Every structure is written in structure tokens, then in C-alpha cells.
Amino acid sequence: PTAATPPSTAATTANAPAATSTSSSKNIRYKYPLSAIHILKAHGKSAMESHFIKGGFALNAMRAAQGMPTAVESTPTNPTVKIAMLDMNLQRHRMAMGVQVVVKDPAEIENIKKREMDITKERIRKIIDAGARVVLTTKGVDDLCMKYFVEAGIICARRCNKDDLKRLAKATGGKVVVTMADMDGNETFDPECLGTSTAVREERIGDGEMLYVHGCGGGGASTIVLRGANEYMLDEMDRALHDSLCVVKRMLESSTLVCGGGAVESALSVHLEEYANTLDTREQLAVQEFADALLVIPKTLAVNAAKDSSELVAKLRSAHAKSQRDALAGEEKEENLQYTGLDLIEGVIRDNLAAGVVEPAISKIKSLRFATEAAITILRIDDRITLAKGQQ
């Protein structure tokens, strides 16, 4: 069993990805895609200073030139900051491979070079005229293009990660533009492809700069910025956070939970031992062994926490046995004994449902099912063939 996800983390994660629903004839099932949560790792500071950007997005990129503004804010006349996301080169136009131009007048060479520059300038002018105030591209941007962006007061970032741009496009309600060519053979830039936000700022995080996009106009994507001393620590935090997000995702999608801290295994073990006593065949031995095997989980939890596993498991089994006995007799049960689990900090048993230590029921069912299948598979192997030495 996994450690419980704190309620604050669960609430944050639940709000982060926008749920996409698939409707059926009877009910609606919601999906919570983990890809909608962008996890960014930054060196420096303490792990406690990791933060969640609600309704915003962080991009591991920086301005392409120092002359560009460090922040673009919304104004009363222009309440949104429009972002262009490109998957193409913003560099001086060059002739395609295999194209030959025969020039008789040397003056024409200068005209060709000038036209190449004009084509690039026209492309950038179309992006600016569409209303873009921030331009992000996965490819390169040369000095000629930077000059036009600096003059227009636009933030431009190059070599951005393509997956990050797709997430940003989802968050801001825009689209990643692959080409500016239209059906007529001309080049145009559709303003509907622009994403919207309230502000874009470059902030120094750790050793480098990052672009923070605040007040995204779309939905369905958020960012968690992890801070840590080194790469190993950040990787470990990333794995732990991914596990927690998967637990919350399963919980939200299945809408059923069980108590953690060894509560389920102890209750199952007590119930199976009672059931084994009703069997009068050799199956009784198998059921008893299965019941004993389930106690490995609470015992391991107690040992890992440096507690007395024998005493804690005995108390746990006693509480669940009393709860099940009272339920069969129809008597009034003591308050919430069926939710009893381990408190490994204090080394006692407690009501884990009230303490918020819970797990998705579907994860528990699958782990029990897979473990049983593995045991059955091993038990089916009843012969072994050993080759004599010297035989191939």
C-alpha cells in the first residue's frame, strides 16, 4: 500500500487537470489525464519551496535577445496577452536544395538577397499584425528576425520543447502552428491560433531563467515547479509526485476508496480465517495460508517504521475481529472499528478514515488479483527437467 496523499495535494491535483468526459448511454465517466500536469524541475532552494502555478504555466525557456522586454502585461485597452506557438524556423529564407538560378547581371544577386530578407520580414509582420505579443518556437530564430521582434517590443523564445508547447497551447486555448501556407498558396497567420493569457514574465529560477505564463485563457493544463539541491533529488521527487498523482487520478476516476495502513489486509485476514473454519476439506489449509500471507503488508509497514510489528498487528487483528463479530451478532459496533489501521508515526492503531489515510479501491483489488495470479502460476510448475553434464 502507498502512503496517503495529503488532502491539500489531492485537492490541488483534482483542480489541476480539466476532466474530459466520455458519455455512455447510462452514465458519464470522467478522465483525468496526467499529461495535463506539467512538472518542471529547477535546481536550487529547498524542496519545501516547490510550488503549484494555479491557472498558469511555466516554460523552461528564456528570451532570445537581451533587448526584449522581461515582462508583457495586460492593459485596460488590451486585456489579454496573445501568444504565438510555432513549430517552424524563423530564419532568413533560403533557396530550396536543387534550385539553380542563372544570373547574368551581378546587380540581380543583391536583389535576390534583399528579397530573401523581405520574405522573412513579411512572415514576422503577419505574426505581429495578428496580435501576437509573445512568440515561442521549437526551431531557431536568427539575428535578423530578433531585430524585428526587439523593435516591436515582443518576447521571443527559441528551441522550446515541443511537448511543452502543446501543453501551453491547451492551457491558453491556442494551437501550435506548423506552417503559414494556406490553401491558395499564399502565407497567412490565423489570429485564432493565438493563445491568450493575462501576463507573461521572465523570472530567474535557480541557475537560469524561465517564462511564467499567468492567467491562461484556456483550460486543462497546470504546472508544478519542483525545487531541490541536485538532479538526483529532483528525479526522486518527480517519481514520488507522479505516484501520488496516479493515486489521485485512480481515486477520481473510480470514485471508491478503502482505508490504508494495513486496514484492508487485516480485515481480510480475520474474515478468511473465520471462513476457513467452515471448510471440511484440504482447501482449509490454502485459505488459512492465504490469510496469513495478507498479514505481510501490515507487518512490513510496522518494521519499516521501526515499530514492534508483532504487537501492532495483534492489536489490529483484535480490533477487526471484534468489529466483524459484532456485525455478525447484530450488536451495536464500537465506533468505526472497521476503519482501524496503523499510525506509524506514534506507533499505535487509529481510525484511518478520519485521519485521511486512504487508497483507491481499484489499486487494492488489482494488487491482490495480480499477487494471487503470480502465486498460482508458480504452484502450477510441478516438474523440473535437469540436463546431465556433457549434454547440449
Side-chain angles (χ1 to χ4, degrees):
T2 56
T5 305
S8 60
T9 306
T12 301
T13 313
N15 291 333
T20 57
S21 62
T22 55
S23 58
S24 62
S25 55
K26 292 184 180 178
N27 56 3
I28 297 175
R29 293 188 62 192
Y30 292 94
K31 297 286 184 185
Y32 295 83
L34 283 185
S35 59
I37 301 175
H38 178 40
I39 298 175
L40 203 57
K41 294 180 279 191
H43 292 173
K45 292 196 176 181
S46 162
M48 301 299 291
E49 295 187 54
S50 302
H51 55 280
F52 170 69
I53 306 172
K54 189 174 182 180
F57 198 90
L59 202 63
N60 193 8
M62 57 185 290
R63 293 172 300 156
Q66 291 300 313
M68 295 175 182
T70 56
V72 177
E73 310 276 350
S74 57
T75 59
T77 56
N78 196 357
T80 59
V81 175
K82 295 191 175 178
I83 306 169
M85 291 151 284
L86 312 175
D87 185 18
M88 59 185 184
N89 272 314
L90 286 179
Q91 294 176 334
R92 185 171 146 185
H93 183 80
R94 288 180 175 83
M95 290 285 185
M97 293 291 289
V99 175
Q100 291 184 345
V101 180
V102 179
V103 180
K104 294 181 180 178
D105 185 0
E108 290 298 318
I109 297 175
E110 289 301 319
N111 291 335
I112 291 172
K113 288 182 179 179
K114 187 174 182 302
R115 181 57 191 150
E116 285 177 350
M117 294 170 64
D118 288 344
I119 289 172
T120 306
K121 185 175 181 180
E122 286 167 11
R123 280 183 179 173
I124 293 171
R125 179 52 54 193
K126 284 169 185 172
I127 294 171
I128 296 171
D129 290 343
R133 297 174 66 191
V134 177
V135 178
L136 308 172
T137 179
T138 60
K139 304 288 176 64
V141 181
D142 63 6
D143 294 340
L144 178 66
C145 298
M146 281 187 211
K147 172 175 169 287
Y148 299 132
F149 287 131
V150 170
E151 289 173 354
I154 287 174
I155 293 179
C156 176
R158 56 187 170 183
R159 310 291 179 198
C160 299
N161 186 284
K162 192 172 182 179
D163 292 334
D164 292 350
L165 274 197
K166 286 180 180 177
R167 286 197 187 102
L168 180 60
K170 188 175 181 182
T172 57
K175 294 177 184 175
V176 178
V177 178
V178 180
T179 177
M180 292 176 65
D182 58 15
M183 299 299 289
D184 300 327
N186 301 319
E187 286 192 338
T188 56
F189 192 86
D190 188 357
E192 291 183 3
C193 295
L194 296 173
T196 57
S197 67
T198 56
V200 177
R201 303 187 189 98
E202 185 186 70
E203 298 181 17
R204 186 166 186 81
I205 303 290
D207 300 331
E209 285 81 19
M210 291 185 186
L211 286 177
Y212 275 65
V213 182
H214 298 279
C216 294
S222 296
T223 304
I224 298 172
V225 179
L226 297 179
R227 306 305 305 273
N230 52 47
E231 196 68 34
Y232 301 108
M233 186 176 179
L234 287 170
D235 287 343
E236 192 60 38
M237 288 170 62
D238 187 11
R239 283 190 288 271
L241 181 61
H242 184 267
D243 290 346
S244 300
L245 293 176
C246 286
V247 169
V248 177
K249 166 185 159 69
R250 281 182 172 274
M251 173 58 236
L252 292 171
E253 289 181 355
S254 64
S255 300
T256 50
L257 56 82
V258 293
C259 292
V264 173
E265 290 81 9
S266 301
L268 276 175
S269 176
V270 170
H271 176 75
L272 287 175
E273 283 194 353
E274 289 294 327
Y275 173 68
N277 293 331
T278 64
L279 301 173
D280 56 359
T281 62
R282 67 177 64 186
E283 289 179 3
Q284 185 185 90
L285 297 173
V287 176
Q288 284 177 341
E289 289 299 323
F290 194 97
D292 289 341
L294 287 169
L295 293 178
V296 169
I297 299 294
K299 282 179 183 175
T300 306
L301 286 173
V303 169
N304 287 347
K307 305 295 181 186
D308 187 347
S309 61
S310 302
E311 186 173 346
L312 280 178
V313 171
K315 288 180 180 178
L316 199 57
R317 281 170 50 80
S318 174
H320 283 286
K322 188 173 188 329
S323 170
Q324 293 178 23
R325 197 166 51 246
D326 291 347
L328 287 172
E331 298 175 8
E332 267 193 47
K333 295 189 288 185
E334 284 190 32
E335 192 173 346
N336 297 334
L337 274 180
Q338 69 270 30
Y339 303 138
T340 305
L342 298 176
D343 178 0
L344 297 175
I345 296 176
E346 301 296 333
V348 295
I349 60 172
R350 66 177 176 189
D351 181 352
N352 268 355
L353 185 64
V357 181
V358 292
E359 300 178 60
I362 188 169
S363 295
K364 187 67 71 178
I365 292 167
K366 284 189 174 181
S367 63
L368 286 171
R369 187 177 292 158
F370 292 156
T372 308
E373 287 292 334
I376 291 171
T377 303
I378 292 169
L379 290 172
R380 280 182 180 149
I381 302 170
D382 54 358
D383 290 315
R384 184 178 65 180
I385 300 172
T386 305
L387 289 176
K389 287 183 180 180
Q391 292 184 4
Q392 295 295 327

